[in-house]
Amino acid sequence: MTKCPNTSVQQLCDTLQLTDQEVKTLNIDASSPFPLKISEDFLAQIQAKQPNDPLLKQILPLQVEHQTAKGFSQDPVSDLAFNPTPSLIHKYHGRVLLIASPKCDIHCRYCFRRHFPYSEQSNIRHWQKALDYIQQDKSIHEVILSGGDPMSLAEKSLVSLIQKIEAIPHIQTLRIHSRTPIVSPSTAPINEFLGWAKQTRLNKVLVVHCNHANELSVPTAKLFMRYKTAGFHLLNQSVLLKGVNDQVDILETLSHALFKQGVLPYYLNQLDRVQGAAHFEVENTTAIQLHTQLREKLPGYLLPQLVQDLQKNTYKTPLM
Ligand code: SF4
């Protein structure tokens, strides 16, 4: 299936059968420098005639994004303070994060890397230096592929990169953080990638990113089954987003829906305070109340940890 990265805002609104009045009320910004981008699969999960659809809210550029909000910055998790060589972030003990791709299948409005300097940081020409860094530091046991979205890479490039990581003897685990299996399951890597996965010596973890049960579908379930059969541990992280998933029944439904597809809820992230996303923020007290209510409804293994990535800490900070 082809993607539709150039879908204009007007085309999208027409496809979703929104009225002129509804479009006006949304206060859309069609000229955002972080433009609208949506995959066909994600579009198929958005309900027509629903201007407040929780999936639509995640991808629609709004004028409110231009408002400056106190405490919000362009690099809210200090990626660039832990950047020993381009494409590599070494913030956490024993683990490094490799920015494998500058691209994503969709543009999430709350993305904490929406201002990340991908043109300087994410390029195949930086990979060898990053791999040399990993080779030289024997305390590193896990490589995390991130982005952008590493699964938006051409499958050949992705497999070539992970084979190079696998060749470093002290690496034990490959973790992939990706939204592709959720938002574009029809284009997620399968053939060569799963061929590699079935025979690798590495532990394999796939952390997907799903915020609402409506993002899950029959194609995501089928894909997860294939990844699981190839030996991946499947986890999910969500971002707590005002107007999208900040209700206990929505979060409860999400945990059950993920588990039904073989994925365990891992993190519920408080929003990273990136410029342009302040309107999505849920206050900490509300987040903690929600999580407490969620704890009453779910078995422990379906309860994601409520955490925040704070600039001062080199670990995810639990909020409770
Ligand atoms: S898929 Fe991930 S990296 Fe890409 S825009 Fe969305 S949140 Fe950001």
Side-chain angles (χ1 to χ4, degrees), residues 204-208 224-225 227-228 232-236 261-265:
K204 302 173 293 294
V205 184
L206 174 61
V207 182
V208 295
F224 291 144
M225 178 62 79
Y227 287 161
K228 216 177 169 84
F232 275 93
H233 299 276
L234 301 179
L235 303 171
N236 180 64
Q261 297 205 354
V263 182
L264 280 176

Side-chain angles (χ1 to χ4, degrees), residues 188-200:
I190 294 226
N191 299 323
E192 264 188 77
F193 177 64
L194 291 185
W196 165 82
K198 283 177 185 157
Q199 51 75 49
T200 179

Side-chain angles (χ1 to χ4, degrees), residues 26-29 57 60-66 109 279:
L26 286 168
N27 290 321
I28 296 168
D29 171 22
K57 283 189 170 179
L60 205 55
L62 300 182
Q63 290 168 17
V64 69
E65 295 176 23
H66 291 293
R109 307 316 302 171
H279 55 294

Side-chain angles (χ1 to χ4, degrees), residues 212-244:
H212 194 286
N214 290 6
E215 295 170 39
L216 298 168
S217 59
V218 172
T220 60
K222 286 186 178 160
L223 187 65
F224 291 144
M225 178 62 79
R226 295 189 72 173
Y227 287 161
K228 216 177 169 84
T229 307
F232 275 93
H233 299 276
L234 301 179
L235 303 171
N236 180 64
Q237 56 178 346
S238 307
V239 180
L240 186 58
L241 299 166
K242 188 186 273 181
V244 173

